[in-house]
Amino acid sequence: MPDILANLNPPQLAAVTLPPQHALILAGAGSGKTRVLTTRIAWLISTGQTGPHSILAVTFTNKAAKEMLARLAAMLPINIRGMWIGTFHGLCNRLLRAHHRDAGLPALFQILDSADQLSAIKRLLKNFNVDDVKFPPRELAGFINAHKEQGIRAAQAEAYDDYTRRRVELYAEYDSQCQREGVVDFAELLLRSYEMLQRNEPLRHHYQERFRHILVDEFQDTNRLQYAWLKLLSGHNAPVSRPNGACVFAVGDDDQSIYAFRGAEVGNMRDLEREFKVENVIRLEQNYRSQGNILDAANALIKNNRGRLGKNLWTDAGAGEPIRVFEGFSDIDEARFVVDEARELTLDGYTRNQIALLYRSNAQSRVLEHQLFTAGVPYRVYGGLRFFDRQEIKHALAYLRLIGNPDDDTAFTRVVNFPTRGIGSRSIEALQEAAHRANSSLYNAAASLSGKAGTAVGNFIRLIETLREETRALPLPEIIDHLIERSGLRQHYLAEKEGRERLENLDELINAATNFLHEESDTLAAQEADPLASFLAHASLEAGEHQAGEGQEAVQLMTVHAAKGLEFDAVFITGLEHGLFPHENAAQERDGLEEERRLMYVAVTRARKRLYLSYAQTRMLHGQTRYSLPSFFLEELPEALLHKINRAPAYSNNAATAPARAAVSPASGQTSANGLRIGQNVQHAKFGLGVIVSAEGRGTEARVQVNFGAHGMKWLALEYAKLAPA
DNA sequence: CTGCAGCGTTTTTTT
DNA sequence: AACGCTGCAG
């Protein structure tokens, strides 16, 4: 056996070889967190302290789970099949499949992704004649999910006003609709399995006794419910010495908590320490990733946050290069710089895979993509529209879902008239009416209402019945192939102008099913007897990393969120503008700016050798040109670490032009007599530094709109306000 | 019932 | 700029 403990530093070694007890590992960026986690598992098993059967490891993404599995396979000579390694959602799915009866679910229950959930809610509102302006579906979805993530059912939800009372009612109705349809949303997977274990003592004991070691990655991103779930499963109230109950080994970094917006509670780290009586928190502070300047910048930045658990990363790599800062005239100009620079890097020996272009929001990728495309640089965009989110895929899967579970109204409404077969909104409303009255699914209503052939609805029911019959004995990929054909999907996209890519995606779906059968039969122990159900779960829970050109060397584009856990030789953080990064919406949220800062911290710490920070004076946003100030995060970095890059003015003469105004000239034009132009930085006695965003009127009427960053957006009369160009 | 044109709204991040 | 929804003509 290779010495798996070789080359661990002292704190890493201490963490890996900790005797059986609850543990909290505070692991800074690039400190070897994943390595510690996997080595811990390997050590527990290879020293004979425990078997694979007794391990439960939770990660946040499927990718992380896969990577852990791969590393373990390399470290351990044994079969790793018995281990439960996966995301919270994946593991809960597994639990619920195995005990669907105890959980009160049908064997083939299906999983709603966020889009499905939204359409289920829209349907609900329609059924109950609820005004969807007063109760926006998105908001209601957020309300429901937030409650579930705190472990609160509608029955316990607090209704502090009439409006909320109504929302709570709708929450309850939504849950019964899901129950009737045999579907489960993301949060429900967790809450349902939590309640099942809580209610069912034998089952709970079974798993408490089985899992001796529960290991959690990215612990700072767990929500209340996930914490409670871990607590329950570990039987933490029992003393550790007792024969049942597991040791919880949690690894996290409070400075990298960037999912508070969806219910993550950094406070879970403190709670774990207190409630699980963690005796000594182990800190991993040596960073093996970034060079000194980059790390210094990250440390300086994150110091501005309050209430940290405290940690200071260090490296024994040299200082390395300075951090390069670029100010672009426009977003296009910025993108050009980034692409030029990225090309230079490849000439200097950087491989394209090792160059990442990061941004705060997905919309920003467009300009970068355009420049990359123009320059002929291969690139790959992560996130955005996922494979399983594409409409053609969702349509095909909806047919598959209906075959497995006719009560799935979400699937039903999606494809009942796609491709169009003469079932319009009128018929669907009638169906909904009937289903509502009979308290049955749309499918049942349709079947009993128009049992006789000939009607459009009757034909649709017959189509599904036939599909079910014909595919009964077929392997999964052939089922999919068959239904694409028979449902008319293929025909439909064949006729559509832009349909070629969609057809390719449908073919890719068949491939995905084939691959799924091969891969999953190895790893997932094939304990889910029904391949259809498990493939559908896979489609809901997994982003679908099948993207074209995956093998090719390409520059990597992604949001900062998506970059967490990754590292690159060279990183560009783009769009460092006030209002964009930090995002303006963040100011409204509790501790929003601190979360933005952590996001920036994550971004900075992705870089190994070279880091670029860039921003633009003007940017197209929502179809309009916006003028903004540099992000104040830039000011939080020590000047000595930065190297400002200026480019020849001729290079950036393509700034977006703003319409000419009387008192204030457009950005690209000449400066007007009073020295002001749109995009001009100005100084105000009270509000400080700002930038002119727009202007109107002339003479004594002239007013300008100025963005003062933290002081907000102001309209000022030029006659009175003393604005000095800055 | 279908398809299209025009309109308003959007957008933070995602398992 | 892009998408989804509504309203209207065919």
Side-chain angles (χ1 to χ4, degrees):
Chain A
M1 180 185 86
D3 188 1
I4 54 176
L5 301 182
N7 298 322
L8 292 175
N9 69 28
Q12 286 175 337
L13 185 67
V16 166
T17 59
L18 215 55
Q21 57 180 286
H22 300 310
L24 178 60
I25 314 299
L26 208 51
S31 64
K33 164 177 74 86
T34 313
R35 181 160 181 228
V36 164
L37 213 47
T38 46
T39 313
R40 167 79 174 174
I41 296 175
W43 180 77
L44 285 170
I45 293 174
S46 61
T47 53
Q49 298 184 58
T50 194
H53 190 72
S54 307
I55 300 275
L56 177 74
V58 195
T59 63
F60 253 77
T61 61
N62 294 298
K63 207 167 137 199
K66 260 188 209 138
E67 188 185 325
M68 191 178 285
L69 223 40
R71 287 205 198 187
L72 281 170
M75 281 171 134
L76 293 170
I78 52 143
N79 192 339
I80 51 178
R81 186 179 288 198
M83 279 184 268
W84 278 40
I85 297 184
T87 62
F88 276 106
H89 295 88
L91 295 168
C92 288
N93 175 48
R94 194 167 173 176
L95 272 173
L96 293 178
R97 295 274 164 211
H99 309 288
H100 65 269
R101 214 174 284 271
D102 296 302
L105 288 170
L108 295 183
F109 75 85
Q110 264 140 50
I111 301 170
L112 299 184
D113 64 21
S114 333
D116 294 333
Q117 184 188 33
L118 201 62
S119 66
I121 286 175
K122 285 180 184 162
R123 205 150 29 75
L124 180 86
L125 295 182
K126 213 162 229 157
N127 270 338
F128 283 79
N129 280 319
V130 178
D131 180 5
D132 62 358
V133 179
K134 211 173 155 205
F135 294 90
R138 289 195 104 83
E139 199 275 338
L140 191 56
F143 178 83
I144 292 171
N145 292 338
H147 277 83
K148 288 191 179 181
E149 278 158 9
Q150 310 232 49
I152 302 170
R153 286 287 181 197
Q156 301 113 33
E158 188 195 351
Y160 39 82
D161 56 24
D162 285 350
Y163 181 63
T164 306
R165 185 157 317 125
R166 188 73 181 122
R167 289 195 293 179
V168 171
E169 281 168 24
L170 291 169
Y171 174 12
E173 289 301 340
Y174 166 78
D175 266 359
S176 41
Q177 176 181 294
C178 288
Q179 184 62 30
R180 197 171 52 242
E181 296 175 14
V183 295
V184 165
D185 62 42
F186 280 146
E188 184 73 21
L189 281 173
L190 282 147
L191 185 50
R192 193 60 83 96
S193 60
Y194 175 76
E195 289 170 344
M196 175 180 78
L197 290 173
Q198 198 175 42
R199 197 176 341 106
N200 190 329
E201 196 173 317
L203 203 59
R204 182 172 73 245
H205 279 314
H206 169 77
Y207 282 105
Q208 282 174 343
E209 269 166 48
R210 167 171 178 171
F211 296 123
R212 317 304 308 164
H213 293 273
I214 299 179
L215 302 97
V216 195
D217 196 8
E218 308 279 15
F219 187 70
Q220 76 281 356
D221 286 330
T222 51
N223 62 36
R224 285 318 289 176
L225 179 56
Q226 288 162 339
Y227 181 76
W229 189 91
L230 289 169
K231 215 155 112 177
L232 186 66
L233 205 55
S234 65
H236 105 289
N237 285 325
V240 177
S241 54
R242 222 184 71 173
N244 70 3
C247 297
V248 173
F249 186 91
V251 183
D253 179 2
D254 54 325
D255 291 333
Q256 293 188 69
S257 155
I258 55 175
Y259 285 106
F261 73 92
R262 64 169 200 218
E265 297 263 356
V266 206
N268 285 347
M269 297 185 79
R270 282 228 158 90
D271 288 353
L272 180 90
E273 192 180 345
R274 195 183 66 246
E275 296 187 340
F276 284 70
K277 302 187 173 50
V278 174
E279 276 167 24
N280 49 345
V281 176
I282 296 182
R283 284 181 163 71
L284 307 181
E285 299 181 297
Q286 182 173 2
N287 175 296
Y288 295 95
R289 180 186 299 155
S290 310
Q291 294 193 315
N293 285 341
I294 293 169
L295 217 49
D296 288 349
N299 282 333
L301 180 89
I302 201 66
K303 235 189 250 142
N304 294 296
N305 272 5
R306 322 179 66 222
R308 300 170 55 219
L309 293 178
K311 184 165 39 56
N312 216 8
L313 286 183
W314 59 276
T315 177
D316 58 15
E321 304 177 23
I323 294 162
R324 292 159 166 85
V325 179
F326 177 76
E327 177 181 67
F329 214 60
S330 65
D331 50 351
I332 299 169
D333 186 35
E334 180 196 28
R336 260 192 214 170
F337 166 78
V338 167
V339 172
D340 283 352
E341 209 62 28
R343 265 160 89 187
E344 296 262 321
L345 287 177
T346 58
L347 297 180
D348 289 350
Y350 284 76
T351 58
R352 278 194 286 273
N353 281 344
Q354 282 303 324
I355 302 175
L357 276 40
L358 307 184
Y359 34 81
R360 175 65 236 267
S361 59
N362 275 313
Q364 289 167 250
S365 75
R366 185 170 290 280
V367 200
L368 293 166
E369 284 184 69
H370 181 75
Q371 291 303 329
L372 287 162
F373 187 82
T374 310
V377 179
Y379 65 92
R380 182 168 176 223
V381 187
Y382 289 79
L385 191 59
R386 301 139 185 271
F387 180 72
F388 288 114
D389 284 343
R390 293 171 187 279
Q391 65 145 313
E392 61 274 21
I393 302 301
K394 297 213 94 174
H395 282 135
L397 291 179
Y399 280 104
L400 198 57
R401 278 160 63 166
L402 272 184
I403 293 175
N405 172 14
D407 292 340
D408 188 337
D409 286 358
T410 305
F412 183 92
T413 25
R414 175 173 273 278
V415 291
V416 65
N417 196 34
F418 192 96
T420 51
R421 43 176 75 89
I423 304 173
S425 51
R426 205 52 172 276
S427 323
I428 293 173
E429 265 168 42
L431 279 180
Q432 270 166 348
E433 185 94 346
H436 194 57
R437 254 200 324 268
N439 196 26
S440 78
S441 66
L442 290 171
Y443 188 91
N444 275 335
S448 56
L449 210 68
S450 47
K452 18 188 181 333
T455 66
V457 172
N459 285 342
F460 176 68
I461 298 295
R462 273 227 317 278
L463 170 66
I464 301 297
E465 298 290 340
T466 316
L467 278 176
R468 189 178 302 121
E469 285 305 314
E470 289 174 348
T471 58
R472 195 177 298 281
L474 294 181
L476 188 60
E478 284 173 42
I479 296 179
I480 297 175
D481 192 18
H482 189 74
L483 69 83
I484 290 172
E485 203 61 56
R486 293 275 294 189
S487 65
L489 278 180
R490 186 179 296 281
Q491 190 58 37
H492 174 87
Y493 288 121
L494 224 44
E496 203 176 65
K497 280 195 299 291
E498 313 283 316
R500 224 192 56 202
E501 195 186 335
R502 297 198 192 276
L503 284 172
E504 283 168 13
N505 286 331
L506 286 173
D507 287 337
E508 187 56 39
L509 180 67
I510 301 171
N511 287 339
T514 312
N515 290 339
F516 176 79
L517 290 186
H518 287 287
E519 286 173 24
E520 302 304 293
S521 62
D522 289 350
T523 53
L524 252 182
Q527 88 293 353
E528 285 121 321
D530 191 282
L532 193 148
S534 53
F535 180 67
L536 286 172
H538 169 82
S540 300
L541 295 172
E542 193 124 18
E545 286 291 304
H546 315 276
Q547 281 199 29
E550 199 167 352
Q552 202 190 7
E553 279 275 314
V555 173
Q556 316 275 306
L557 273 70
M558 64 192 85
T559 64
V560 180
H561 281 91
K564 190 165 84 154
L566 306 178
E567 57 183 41
F568 306 92
D569 285 340
V571 168
F572 293 82
I573 306 175
T574 65
L576 280 167
E577 290 138 44
H578 195 80
L580 194 61
F581 197 178
H583 197 277
E584 51 202 346
N585 294 3
Q588 262 68 239
E589 285 156 33
R590 193 168 52 88
D591 297 330
L593 285 180
E594 298 219 337
E595 175 138 321
E596 294 290 308
R597 189 176 283 109
R598 290 193 292 269
L599 203 47
M600 178 70 181
Y601 176 77
V602 167
V604 169
T605 52
R606 296 311 95 195
R608 288 201 196 95
K609 293 190 249 175
R610 191 176 284 205
L611 178 62
Y612 292 87
L613 309 175
S614 66
Y615 56 97
Q617 292 169 5
T618 70
R619 177 178 300 275
M620 279 295 268
L621 211 62
H622 308 185
Q624 293 185 342
T625 307
R626 295 229 323 200
Y627 299 82
S628 27
L629 293 172
S631 167
F632 60 70
F633 291 152
L634 288 163
E635 293 164 33
E636 297 179 356
L637 307 177
E639 194 104 26
L641 304 176
L642 309 181
H643 170 65
K644 302 211 162 116
I645 301 177
N646 293 309
R647 293 211 290 177
Y651 199 86
S652 43
N653 59 2
N654 65 325
T657 48
R661 296 295 163 109
V664 178
S665 58
S668 62
Q670 292 164 315
T671 301
S672 70
N674 54 18
L676 299 178
R677 60 179 170 81
I678 289 180
Q680 169 84 52
N681 286 345
V682 289
Q683 183 73 37
H684 184 273
K686 192 156 146 217
F687 303 127
L689 198 62
V691 60
I692 298 183
V693 168
S694 65
E696 64 174 31
R698 49 176 65 233
T700 56
E701 302 278 288
R703 301 195 308 144
V704 289
Q705 191 183 23
V706 185
N707 181 357
F708 285 108
H711 290 282
M713 197 77 86
K714 309 276 184 212
W715 275 104
L716 302 169
L718 277 185
E719 197 183 358
Y720 306 113
K722 290 196 168 46
L723 288 179

Coordinates of all heavy atoms in Angstrom, one line a residue, chain A residues 350-382:
Chain A
Y350 N 1.3 29.4 -21.2 CA 0.1 29.0 -20.5 C -0.8 28.2 -21.4 O -1.0 28.6 -22.5 CB -0.7 30.3 -20.0 CG -0.1 31.0 -18.8 CD1 1.0 31.8 -19.0 CD2 -0.6 30.9 -17.6 CE1 1.6 32.5 -18.0 CE2 -0.1 31.6 -16.5 CZ 1.0 32.4 -16.7 OH 1.6 33.1 -15.7
T351 N -1.4 27.1 -20.8 CA -2.4 26.4 -21.6 C -3.7 27.0 -21.5 O -4.0 27.6 -20.4 CB -2.4 24.9 -21.2 OG1 -2.8 24.9 -19.9 CG2 -1.1 24.2 -21.4
R352 N -4.5 27.0 -22.5 CA -5.8 27.6 -22.4 C -6.7 27.1 -21.3 O -7.4 27.9 -20.7 CB -6.5 27.5 -23.8 CG -6.1 28.5 -24.8 CD -7.0 28.6 -26.0 NE -6.8 27.4 -26.8 CZ -6.0 27.3 -27.8 NH1 -5.2 28.3 -28.1 NH2 -5.9 26.2 -28.5
N353 N -6.6 25.9 -21.0 CA -7.4 25.3 -19.9 C -7.1 26.0 -18.6 O -7.8 25.9 -17.6 CB -7.2 23.8 -19.8 CG -8.0 23.1 -20.8 OD1 -8.9 23.6 -21.4 ND2 -7.7 21.8 -21.0
Q354 N -5.9 26.6 -18.5 CA -5.4 27.1 -17.3 C -5.7 28.6 -17.2 O -5.1 29.3 -16.4 CB -3.9 26.8 -17.1 CG -3.7 25.4 -16.6 CD -4.4 25.2 -15.3 OE1 -4.5 26.0 -14.4 NE2 -5.0 23.9 -15.1
I355 N -6.5 29.1 -18.1 CA -6.8 30.6 -18.1 C -8.3 30.7 -17.9 O -9.1 30.1 -18.6 CB -6.5 31.2 -19.4 CG1 -5.0 31.1 -19.7 CG2 -6.9 32.7 -19.4 CD1 -4.5 31.6 -21.1
A356 N -8.7 31.4 -16.8 CA -10.1 31.5 -16.5 C -10.6 33.0 -16.6 O -9.9 33.9 -16.1 CB -10.4 31.0 -15.1
L357 N -11.7 33.2 -17.2 CA -12.3 34.5 -17.2 C -13.6 34.5 -16.3 O -14.5 33.7 -16.6 CB -12.8 34.8 -18.7 CG -11.7 35.4 -19.6 CD1 -10.4 34.8 -19.5 CD2 -12.2 35.4 -21.1
L358 N -13.5 35.2 -15.3 CA -14.6 35.2 -14.3 C -15.4 36.4 -14.3 O -14.9 37.5 -14.6 CB -14.0 35.0 -12.9 CG -13.0 33.8 -12.7 CD1 -12.6 33.7 -11.2 CD2 -13.6 32.5 -13.1
Y359 N -16.7 36.3 -14.0 CA -17.6 37.4 -13.9 C -18.6 37.2 -12.8 O -18.8 36.1 -12.4 CB -18.2 37.7 -15.2 CG -18.5 36.5 -16.0 CD1 -19.6 35.7 -15.8 CD2 -17.6 36.0 -17.0 CE1 -19.9 34.5 -16.5 CE2 -17.9 34.8 -17.7 CZ -19.0 34.1 -17.4 OH -19.3 33.0 -18.1
R360 N -19.3 38.3 -12.4 CA -20.3 38.2 -11.4 C -21.6 37.5 -11.8 O -22.2 36.7 -11.2 CB -20.5 39.6 -10.8 CG -21.6 39.7 -9.8 CD -21.2 39.0 -8.5 NE -22.2 38.0 -8.1 CZ -23.2 38.2 -7.3 NH1 -23.3 39.4 -6.7 NH2 -24.0 37.3 -7.0
S361 N -22.0 38.0 -13.0 CA -23.3 37.4 -13.5 C -23.2 36.9 -14.9 O -22.4 37.4 -15.7 CB -24.4 38.5 -13.4 OG -24.1 39.6 -14.2
N362 N -24.0 35.9 -15.2 CA -23.9 35.2 -16.5 C -24.0 36.1 -17.7 O -23.4 35.9 -18.7 CB -25.0 34.1 -16.5 CG -24.5 32.9 -15.9 OD1 -23.4 32.4 -16.1 ND2 -25.4 32.3 -15.1
A363 N -24.8 37.2 -17.6 CA -25.0 38.1 -18.7 C -23.7 38.7 -19.2 O -23.6 39.0 -20.4 CB -26.0 39.2 -18.3
Q364 N -22.7 38.7 -18.3 CA -21.5 39.4 -18.7 C -20.6 38.5 -19.7 O -19.7 39.0 -20.3 CB -20.6 39.7 -17.5 CG -21.2 40.8 -16.6 CD -20.5 40.8 -15.3 OE1 -21.1 40.5 -14.3 NE2 -19.3 41.2 -15.2
S365 N -21.0 37.3 -19.8 CA -20.2 36.4 -20.6 C -20.3 36.8 -22.1 O -19.4 36.6 -22.9 CB -20.6 35.0 -20.5 OG -21.8 34.7 -21.1
R366 N -21.4 37.4 -22.5 CA -21.7 37.7 -23.9 C -20.6 38.4 -24.6 O -20.1 38.0 -25.6 CB -23.0 38.4 -24.0 CG -23.5 38.6 -25.4 CD -24.9 39.1 -25.4 NE -25.8 38.1 -25.0 CZ -26.2 37.2 -25.8 NH1 -25.8 37.1 -27.0 NH2 -27.1 36.2 -25.4
V367 N -20.2 39.6 -24.0 CA -19.2 40.4 -24.6 C -17.9 39.7 -24.7 O -17.2 39.8 -25.7 CB -18.9 41.7 -23.8 CG1 -18.3 42.8 -24.6 CG2 -20.2 42.2 -23.1
L368 N -17.5 38.9 -23.7 CA -16.3 38.2 -23.7 C -16.3 37.1 -24.8 O -15.3 37.0 -25.6 CB -16.0 37.5 -22.3 CG -15.8 38.5 -21.2 CD1 -15.9 37.8 -19.8 CD2 -14.4 39.1 -21.3
E369 N -17.4 36.4 -24.9 CA -17.6 35.4 -25.9 C -17.4 36.0 -27.3 O -16.7 35.4 -28.1 CB -18.9 34.7 -25.8 CG -19.1 33.8 -24.6 CD -20.4 33.1 -24.7 OE1 -20.7 32.3 -25.6 OE2 -21.2 33.4 -23.8
H370 N -18.0 37.2 -27.5 CA -17.9 37.8 -28.8 C -16.5 38.1 -29.2 O -16.1 37.8 -30.3 CB -18.8 39.1 -28.8 CG -18.8 39.8 -30.1 ND1 -19.5 39.4 -31.2 CD2 -18.1 40.9 -30.5 CE1 -19.3 40.2 -32.2 NE2 -18.4 41.1 -31.8
Q371 N -15.7 38.6 -28.2 CA -14.3 39.0 -28.5 C -13.5 37.7 -28.7 O -12.7 37.6 -29.6 CB -13.7 39.8 -27.4 CG -14.3 41.2 -27.3 CD -14.1 42.0 -28.6 OE1 -13.2 41.8 -29.4 NE2 -15.1 42.9 -28.9
L372 N -13.8 36.7 -28.0 CA -13.0 35.4 -28.1 C -13.3 34.8 -29.5 O -12.4 34.3 -30.2 CB -13.4 34.4 -27.0 CG -12.9 34.7 -25.6 CD1 -13.7 34.0 -24.5 CD2 -11.4 34.4 -25.5
F373 N -14.6 34.9 -29.8 CA -15.0 34.3 -31.1 C -14.3 35.0 -32.2 O -13.8 34.4 -33.2 CB -16.5 34.4 -31.2 CG -17.0 33.7 -32.4 CD1 -17.2 32.3 -32.4 CD2 -17.3 34.4 -33.6 CE1 -17.7 31.6 -33.5 CE2 -17.8 33.7 -34.7 CZ -18.0 32.3 -34.7
T374 N -14.4 36.4 -32.2 CA -13.8 37.2 -33.2 C -12.3 36.9 -33.3 O -11.7 36.8 -34.4 CB -14.0 38.7 -32.9 OG1 -15.4 38.9 -32.6 CG2 -13.5 39.6 -34.0
A375 N -11.6 36.7 -32.2 CA -10.2 36.5 -32.2 C -9.9 35.0 -32.5 O -8.7 34.7 -32.7 CB -9.6 36.9 -30.9
G376 N -10.9 34.2 -32.6 CA -10.6 32.8 -32.9 C -10.0 32.0 -31.8 O -9.2 31.1 -32.0
V377 N -10.2 32.4 -30.6 CA -9.7 31.7 -29.4 C -10.7 30.7 -29.0 O -11.9 31.1 -28.7 CB -9.4 32.7 -28.3 CG1 -8.8 31.9 -27.1 CG2 -8.4 33.8 -28.7
P378 N -10.4 29.4 -28.9 CA -11.3 28.4 -28.4 C -11.7 28.7 -26.9 O -10.8 29.1 -26.1 CB -10.6 27.1 -28.5 CG -9.4 27.4 -29.3 CD -9.1 28.8 -29.2
Y379 N -12.9 28.6 -26.6 CA -13.3 28.9 -25.2 C -14.5 28.0 -24.8 O -15.1 27.4 -25.7 CB -13.8 30.4 -25.0 CG -15.0 30.7 -25.8 CD1 -16.3 30.6 -25.2 CD2 -14.9 31.2 -27.1 CE1 -17.4 31.0 -26.0 CE2 -16.0 31.5 -27.9 CZ -17.3 31.4 -27.3 OH -18.4 31.7 -28.0
R380 N -14.7 27.9 -23.6 CA -15.8 27.1 -23.1 C -16.5 27.8 -21.9 O -15.9 28.3 -21.0 CB -15.2 25.7 -22.6 CG -16.3 24.8 -22.1 CD -15.8 23.4 -21.9 NE -16.9 22.7 -21.3 CZ -16.8 21.8 -20.3 NH1 -15.7 21.6 -19.8 NH2 -17.9 21.2 -19.9
V381 N -17.8 27.9 -22.1 CA -18.6 28.6 -21.1 C -19.3 27.6 -20.1 O -19.9 26.7 -20.6 CB -19.7 29.5 -21.7 CG1 -20.4 30.3 -20.6 CG2 -19.1 30.3 -22.8
Y382 N -19.1 27.8 -18.8 CA -19.7 26.9 -17.9 C -21.0 27.6 -17.4 O -21.1 28.8 -17.4 CB -18.8 26.6 -16.7 CG -17.7 25.7 -17.0 CD1 -16.5 26.2 -17.7 CD2 -17.7 24.4 -16.7 CE1 -15.5 25.4 -18.0 CE2 -16.6 23.6 -17.1 CZ -15.5 24.1 -17.7 OH -14.5 23.3 -18.1

